[in-house]
Amino acid sequence: MLELDLRSRKPIYEQLVEKLKELIINEVLKADEQLPSVRALASDLTINPNTIQKAYRELETQGYIYSVKGRGSFVTPSGEVQDSEKLKKVKRDLRKMISEALYLGMSVDELICLIKEIEPAVGGGLSNDKNE
């Protein structure tokens, strides 16, 4: 499931964070599903366990996973991810990207179609405040 580019300039833990977030967002990893243990994942990917631990800590900080002492790490249910600063940043980034797309000639209808195409494949989000 996880393929890392060991030759990339991007640190391995950042690649792990991105891949795991993608799996969570696309609901490949379901709410409350247990993630592989640090040791098991380190062994599977043949990388240092500290790298896995750093990625898991980052995902927990961002609210994508939670830890249960003695049991491991689990996927946070999407309705419980409450990182308003992260959401505000995503909205700012979206505004920039949408502005650029419109400037380059993409129509509003094309943008709406793109959103409708992406929405079914992405988990979470519906309970978020739409007035920000």
PDB file of all heavy atoms in Angstrom, residues 47-72:
ATOM      1  N   ILE A  47      12.714   0.531   6.925  1.00  0.00           N
ATOM      2  CA  ILE A  47      13.218   1.841   7.338  1.00  0.00           C
ATOM      3  C   ILE A  47      13.247   1.897   8.864  1.00  0.00           C
ATOM      4  O   ILE A  47      12.657   1.058   9.545  1.00  0.00           O
ATOM      5  CB  ILE A  47      12.387   3.015   6.762  1.00  0.00           C
ATOM      6  CG1 ILE A  47      10.926   2.916   7.175  1.00  0.00           C
ATOM      7  CG2 ILE A  47      12.523   3.100   5.260  1.00  0.00           C
ATOM      8  CD1 ILE A  47      10.089   4.085   6.693  1.00  0.00           C
ATOM      9  N   ASN A  48      13.933   2.879   9.382  1.00  0.00           N
ATOM     10  CA  ASN A  48      14.129   3.026  10.820  1.00  0.00           C
ATOM     11  C   ASN A  48      12.791   3.244  11.539  1.00  0.00           C
ATOM     12  O   ASN A  48      11.990   4.073  11.112  1.00  0.00           O
ATOM     13  CB  ASN A  48      15.053   4.225  11.051  1.00  0.00           C
ATOM     14  CG  ASN A  48      15.537   4.325  12.474  1.00  0.00           C
ATOM     15  OD1 ASN A  48      14.750   4.237  13.407  1.00  0.00           O
ATOM     16  ND2 ASN A  48      16.832   4.532  12.618  1.00  0.00           N
ATOM     17  N   PRO A  49      12.550   2.529  12.640  1.00  0.00           N
ATOM     18  CA  PRO A  49      11.306   2.720  13.398  1.00  0.00           C
ATOM     19  C   PRO A  49      11.099   4.162  13.881  1.00  0.00           C
ATOM     20  O   PRO A  49       9.968   4.620  13.999  1.00  0.00           O
ATOM     21  CB  PRO A  49      11.460   1.777  14.592  1.00  0.00           C
ATOM     22  CG  PRO A  49      12.454   0.760  14.160  1.00  0.00           C
ATOM     23  CD  PRO A  49      13.370   1.452  13.193  1.00  0.00           C
ATOM     24  N   ASN A  50      12.194   4.873  14.134  1.00  0.00           N
ATOM     25  CA  ASN A  50      12.069   6.273  14.563  1.00  0.00           C
ATOM     26  C   ASN A  50      11.405   7.130  13.479  1.00  0.00           C
ATOM     27  O   ASN A  50      10.699   8.096  13.782  1.00  0.00           O
ATOM     28  CB  ASN A  50      13.434   6.860  14.923  1.00  0.00           C
ATOM     29  CG  ASN A  50      14.021   6.233  16.168  1.00  0.00           C
ATOM     30  OD1 ASN A  50      13.293   5.784  17.053  1.00  0.00           O
ATOM     31  ND2 ASN A  50      15.342   6.175  16.225  1.00  0.00           N
ATOM     32  N   THR A  51      11.633   6.776  12.230  1.00  0.00           N
ATOM     33  CA  THR A  51      11.019   7.499  11.105  1.00  0.00           C
ATOM     34  C   THR A  51       9.508   7.283  11.117  1.00  0.00           C
ATOM     35  O   THR A  51       8.731   8.222  10.926  1.00  0.00           O
ATOM     36  CB  THR A  51      11.626   7.026   9.773  1.00  0.00           C
ATOM     37  OG1 THR A  51      13.048   7.213   9.829  1.00  0.00           O
ATOM     38  CG2 THR A  51      11.058   7.797   8.602  1.00  0.00           C
ATOM     39  N   ILE A  52       9.088   6.045  11.352  1.00  0.00           N
ATOM     40  CA  ILE A  52       7.660   5.721  11.431  1.00  0.00           C
ATOM     41  C   ILE A  52       7.043   6.463  12.606  1.00  0.00           C
ATOM     42  O   ILE A  52       5.977   7.068  12.485  1.00  0.00           O
ATOM     43  CB  ILE A  52       7.432   4.199  11.606  1.00  0.00           C
ATOM     44  CG1 ILE A  52       8.156   3.378  10.535  1.00  0.00           C
ATOM     45  CG2 ILE A  52       5.940   3.881  11.680  1.00  0.00           C
ATOM     46  CD1 ILE A  52       7.634   3.528   9.153  1.00  0.00           C
ATOM     47  N   GLN A  53       7.724   6.429  13.745  1.00  0.00           N
ATOM     48  CA  GLN A  53       7.229   7.099  14.949  1.00  0.00           C
ATOM     49  C   GLN A  53       7.053   8.592  14.699  1.00  0.00           C
ATOM     50  O   GLN A  53       6.056   9.186  15.117  1.00  0.00           O
ATOM     51  CB  GLN A  53       8.185   6.860  16.125  1.00  0.00           C
ATOM     52  CG  GLN A  53       7.667   7.367  17.445  1.00  0.00           C
ATOM     53  CD  GLN A  53       6.397   6.660  17.870  1.00  0.00           C
ATOM     54  OE1 GLN A  53       6.296   5.444  17.812  1.00  0.00           O
ATOM     55  NE2 GLN A  53       5.402   7.422  18.274  1.00  0.00           N
ATOM     56  N   LYS A  54       7.997   9.206  14.000  1.00  0.00           N
ATOM     57  CA  LYS A  54       7.917  10.639  13.698  1.00  0.00           C
ATOM     58  C   LYS A  54       6.707  10.928  12.801  1.00  0.00           C
ATOM     59  O   LYS A  54       5.984  11.901  13.017  1.00  0.00           O
ATOM     60  CB  LYS A  54       9.211  11.098  13.017  1.00  0.00           C
ATOM     61  CG  LYS A  54       9.297  12.589  12.818  1.00  0.00           C
ATOM     62  CD  LYS A  54      10.664  12.996  12.304  1.00  0.00           C
ATOM     63  CE  LYS A  54      10.775  14.498  12.157  1.00  0.00           C
ATOM     64  NZ  LYS A  54      12.107  14.909  11.719  1.00  0.00           N
ATOM     65  N   ALA A  55       6.468  10.084  11.817  1.00  0.00           N
ATOM     66  CA  ALA A  55       5.317  10.250  10.925  1.00  0.00           C
ATOM     67  C   ALA A  55       4.014  10.100  11.706  1.00  0.00           C
ATOM     68  O   ALA A  55       3.084  10.899  11.534  1.00  0.00           O
ATOM     69  CB  ALA A  55       5.379   9.246   9.783  1.00  0.00           C
ATOM     70  N   TYR A  56       3.935   9.099  12.563  1.00  0.00           N
ATOM     71  CA  TYR A  56       2.732   8.886  13.373  1.00  0.00           C
ATOM     72  C   TYR A  56       2.481  10.081  14.303  1.00  0.00           C
ATOM     73  O   TYR A  56       1.349  10.508  14.481  1.00  0.00           O
ATOM     74  CB  TYR A  56       2.844   7.592  14.190  1.00  0.00           C
ATOM     75  CG  TYR A  56       2.519   6.321  13.430  1.00  0.00           C
ATOM     76  CD1 TYR A  56       2.388   6.286  12.039  1.00  0.00           C
ATOM     77  CD2 TYR A  56       2.348   5.128  14.110  1.00  0.00           C
ATOM     78  CE1 TYR A  56       2.097   5.117  11.363  1.00  0.00           C
ATOM     79  CE2 TYR A  56       2.041   3.937  13.436  1.00  0.00           C
ATOM     80  CZ  TYR A  56       1.921   3.950  12.067  1.00  0.00           C
ATOM     81  OH  TYR A  56       1.619   2.783  11.398  1.00  0.00           O
ATOM     82  N   ARG A  57       3.553  10.615  14.900  1.00  0.00           N
ATOM     83  CA  ARG A  57       3.412  11.789  15.772  1.00  0.00           C
ATOM     84  C   ARG A  57       2.856  12.974  14.991  1.00  0.00           C
ATOM     85  O   ARG A  57       1.980  13.695  15.472  1.00  0.00           O
ATOM     86  CB  ARG A  57       4.765  12.165  16.377  1.00  0.00           C
ATOM     87  CG  ARG A  57       4.940  11.718  17.807  1.00  0.00           C
ATOM     88  CD  ARG A  57       6.110  12.381  18.516  1.00  0.00           C
ATOM     89  NE  ARG A  57       7.314  12.522  17.722  1.00  0.00           N
ATOM     90  CZ  ARG A  57       8.295  11.624  17.647  1.00  0.00           C
ATOM     91  NH1 ARG A  57       8.213  10.494  18.317  1.00  0.00           N
ATOM     92  NH2 ARG A  57       9.348  11.850  16.914  1.00  0.00           N
ATOM     93  N   GLU A  58       3.360  13.170  13.779  1.00  0.00           N
ATOM     94  CA  GLU A  58       2.892  14.271  12.934  1.00  0.00           C
ATOM     95  C   GLU A  58       1.416  14.094  12.569  1.00  0.00           C
ATOM     96  O   GLU A  58       0.633  15.041  12.621  1.00  0.00           O
ATOM     97  CB  GLU A  58       3.747  14.372  11.667  1.00  0.00           C
ATOM     98  CG  GLU A  58       3.340  15.491  10.725  1.00  0.00           C
ATOM     99  CD  GLU A  58       3.482  16.886  11.309  1.00  0.00           C
ATOM    100  OE1 GLU A  58       4.324  17.104  12.202  1.00  0.00           O
ATOM    101  OE2 GLU A  58       2.717  17.772  10.883  1.00  0.00           O
ATOM    102  N   LEU A  59       1.028  12.881  12.216  1.00  0.00           N
ATOM    103  CA  LEU A  59      -0.378  12.604  11.893  1.00  0.00           C
ATOM    104  C   LEU A  59      -1.272  12.821  13.112  1.00  0.00           C
ATOM    105  O   LEU A  59      -2.396  13.317  12.983  1.00  0.00           O
ATOM    106  CB  LEU A  59      -0.533  11.166  11.377  1.00  0.00           C
ATOM    107  CG  LEU A  59      -0.020  10.920   9.965  1.00  0.00           C
ATOM    108  CD1 LEU A  59       0.104   9.430   9.702  1.00  0.00           C
ATOM    109  CD2 LEU A  59      -0.934  11.582   8.938  1.00  0.00           C
ATOM    110  N   GLU A  60      -0.767  12.493  14.278  1.00  0.00           N
ATOM    111  CA  GLU A  60      -1.549  12.703  15.499  1.00  0.00           C
ATOM    112  C   GLU A  60      -1.684  14.198  15.788  1.00  0.00           C
ATOM    113  O   GLU A  60      -2.768  14.672  16.140  1.00  0.00           O
ATOM    114  CB  GLU A  60      -0.907  11.975  16.673  1.00  0.00           C
ATOM    115  CG  GLU A  60      -1.786  11.958  17.900  1.00  0.00           C
ATOM    116  CD  GLU A  60      -1.323  10.957  18.952  1.00  0.00           C
ATOM    117  OE1 GLU A  60      -0.287  10.294  18.778  1.00  0.00           O
ATOM    118  OE2 GLU A  60      -2.037  10.836  19.957  1.00  0.00           O
ATOM    119  N   THR A  61      -0.611  14.932  15.596  1.00  0.00           N
ATOM    120  CA  THR A  61      -0.645  16.385  15.787  1.00  0.00           C
ATOM    121  C   THR A  61      -1.663  17.034  14.853  1.00  0.00           C
ATOM    122  O   THR A  61      -2.373  17.952  15.241  1.00  0.00           O
ATOM    123  CB  THR A  61       0.758  16.994  15.529  1.00  0.00           C
ATOM    124  OG1 THR A  61       1.678  16.413  16.454  1.00  0.00           O
ATOM    125  CG2 THR A  61       0.756  18.491  15.691  1.00  0.00           C
ATOM    126  N   GLN A  62      -1.730  16.528  13.619  1.00  0.00           N
ATOM    127  CA  GLN A  62      -2.665  17.075  12.635  1.00  0.00           C
ATOM    128  C   GLN A  62      -4.085  16.561  12.834  1.00  0.00           C
ATOM    129  O   GLN A  62      -5.008  17.017  12.163  1.00  0.00           O
ATOM    130  CB  GLN A  62      -2.187  16.751  11.223  1.00  0.00           C
ATOM    131  CG  GLN A  62      -0.918  17.469  10.835  1.00  0.00           C
ATOM    132  CD  GLN A  62      -0.473  17.151   9.418  1.00  0.00           C
ATOM    133  OE1 GLN A  62      -1.258  16.701   8.581  1.00  0.00           O
ATOM    134  NE2 GLN A  62       0.785  17.395   9.123  1.00  0.00           N
ATOM    135  N   GLY A  63      -4.276  15.595  13.726  1.00  0.00           N
ATOM    136  CA  GLY A  63      -5.605  15.110  14.043  1.00  0.00           C
ATOM    137  C   GLY A  63      -6.113  13.969  13.179  1.00  0.00           C
ATOM    138  O   GLY A  63      -7.276  13.600  13.257  1.00  0.00           O
ATOM    139  N   TYR A  64      -5.252  13.382  12.364  1.00  0.00           N
ATOM    140  CA  TYR A  64      -5.672  12.283  11.493  1.00  0.00           C
ATOM    141  C   TYR A  64      -5.706  10.943  12.203  1.00  0.00           C
ATOM    142  O   TYR A  64      -6.426  10.038  11.798  1.00  0.00           O
ATOM    143  CB  TYR A  64      -4.768  12.193  10.253  1.00  0.00           C
ATOM    144  CG  TYR A  64      -5.039  13.287   9.267  1.00  0.00           C
ATOM    145  CD1 TYR A  64      -4.330  14.478   9.306  1.00  0.00           C
ATOM    146  CD2 TYR A  64      -6.018  13.148   8.291  1.00  0.00           C
ATOM    147  CE1 TYR A  64      -4.584  15.496   8.407  1.00  0.00           C
ATOM    148  CE2 TYR A  64      -6.282  14.164   7.385  1.00  0.00           C
ATOM    149  CZ  TYR A  64      -5.560  15.340   7.449  1.00  0.00           C
ATOM    150  OH  TYR A  64      -5.831  16.353   6.568  1.00  0.00           O
ATOM    151  N   ILE A  65      -4.877  10.801  13.243  1.00  0.00           N
ATOM    152  CA  ILE A  65      -4.862   9.555  14.011  1.00  0.00           C
ATOM    153  C   ILE A  65      -4.842   9.887  15.500  1.00  0.00           C
ATOM    154  O   ILE A  65      -4.569  11.027  15.890  1.00  0.00           O
ATOM    155  CB  ILE A  65      -3.658   8.647  13.652  1.00  0.00           C
ATOM    156  CG1 ILE A  65      -2.325   9.284  14.052  1.00  0.00           C
ATOM    157  CG2 ILE A  65      -3.668   8.280  12.176  1.00  0.00           C
ATOM    158  CD1 ILE A  65      -1.119   8.350  13.909  1.00  0.00           C
ATOM    159  N   TYR A  66      -5.147   8.885  16.300  1.00  0.00           N
ATOM    160  CA  TYR A  66      -5.037   9.027  17.748  1.00  0.00           C
ATOM    161  C   TYR A  66      -4.372   7.767  18.295  1.00  0.00           C
ATOM    162  O   TYR A  66      -4.401   6.718  17.658  1.00  0.00           O
ATOM    163  CB  TYR A  66      -6.409   9.266  18.400  1.00  0.00           C
ATOM    164  CG  TYR A  66      -7.384   8.122  18.265  1.00  0.00           C
ATOM    165  CD1 TYR A  66      -7.504   7.154  19.262  1.00  0.00           C
ATOM    166  CD2 TYR A  66      -8.204   8.005  17.140  1.00  0.00           C
ATOM    167  CE1 TYR A  66      -8.406   6.102  19.134  1.00  0.00           C
ATOM    168  CE2 TYR A  66      -9.114   6.962  17.008  1.00  0.00           C
ATOM    169  CZ  TYR A  66      -9.208   6.018  18.009  1.00  0.00           C
ATOM    170  OH  TYR A  66     -10.092   4.979  17.887  1.00  0.00           O
ATOM    171  N   SER A  67      -3.760   7.917  19.465  1.00  0.00           N
ATOM    172  CA  SER A  67      -3.057   6.792  20.082  1.00  0.00           C
ATOM    173  C   SER A  67      -3.781   6.333  21.329  1.00  0.00           C
ATOM    174  O   SER A  67      -4.348   7.146  22.059  1.00  0.00           O
ATOM    175  CB  SER A  67      -1.634   7.194  20.475  1.00  0.00           C
ATOM    176  OG  SER A  67      -0.900   7.531  19.330  1.00  0.00           O
ATOM    177  N   VAL A  68      -3.739   5.033  21.565  1.00  0.00           N
ATOM    178  CA  VAL A  68      -4.251   4.452  22.801  1.00  0.00           C
ATOM    179  C   VAL A  68      -3.061   3.744  23.440  1.00  0.00           C
ATOM    180  O   VAL A  68      -2.484   2.836  22.823  1.00  0.00           O
ATOM    181  CB  VAL A  68      -5.402   3.458  22.524  1.00  0.00           C
ATOM    182  CG1 VAL A  68      -5.852   2.795  23.821  1.00  0.00           C
ATOM    183  CG2 VAL A  68      -6.564   4.143  21.825  1.00  0.00           C
ATOM    184  N   LYS A  69      -2.693   4.197  24.626  1.00  0.00           N
ATOM    185  CA  LYS A  69      -1.513   3.649  25.292  1.00  0.00           C
ATOM    186  C   LYS A  69      -1.624   2.127  25.415  1.00  0.00           C
ATOM    187  O   LYS A  69      -2.626   1.593  25.872  1.00  0.00           O
ATOM    188  CB  LYS A  69      -1.354   4.283  26.669  1.00  0.00           C
ATOM    189  CG  LYS A  69      -0.016   3.998  27.307  1.00  0.00           C
ATOM    190  CD  LYS A  69       0.278   4.995  28.405  1.00  0.00           C
ATOM    191  CE  LYS A  69       1.620   4.765  29.017  1.00  0.00           C
ATOM    192  NZ  LYS A  69       2.712   5.297  28.263  1.00  0.00           N
ATOM    193  N   GLY A  70      -0.585   1.455  24.946  1.00  0.00           N
ATOM    194  CA  GLY A  70      -0.530   0.007  25.023  1.00  0.00           C
ATOM    195  C   GLY A  70      -1.285  -0.718  23.916  1.00  0.00           C
ATOM    196  O   GLY A  70      -1.219  -1.938  23.814  1.00  0.00           O
ATOM    197  N   ARG A  71      -2.011   0.011  23.081  1.00  0.00           N
ATOM    198  CA  ARG A  71      -2.801  -0.635  22.023  1.00  0.00           C
ATOM    199  C   ARG A  71      -2.347  -0.237  20.626  1.00  0.00           C
ATOM    200  O   ARG A  71      -2.492  -1.004  19.701  1.00  0.00           O
ATOM    201  CB  ARG A  71      -4.286  -0.285  22.190  1.00  0.00           C
ATOM    202  CG  ARG A  71      -4.825  -0.818  23.504  1.00  0.00           C
ATOM    203  CD  ARG A  71      -6.201  -1.390  23.505  1.00  0.00           C
ATOM    204  NE  ARG A  71      -6.605  -2.108  22.328  1.00  0.00           N
ATOM    205  CZ  ARG A  71      -7.703  -1.812  21.622  1.00  0.00           C
ATOM    206  NH1 ARG A  71      -8.467  -0.805  21.964  1.00  0.00           N
ATOM    207  NH2 ARG A  71      -8.024  -2.531  20.574  1.00  0.00           N
ATOM    208  N   GLY A  72      -1.868   1.016  20.460  1.00  0.00           N
ATOM    209  CA  GLY A  72      -1.403   1.449  19.149  1.00  0.00           C
ATOM    210  C   GLY A  72      -2.069   2.722  18.668  1.00  0.00           C
ATOM    211  O   GLY A  72      -2.661   3.468  19.439  1.00  0.00           O
TER     212      GLY A  72
END
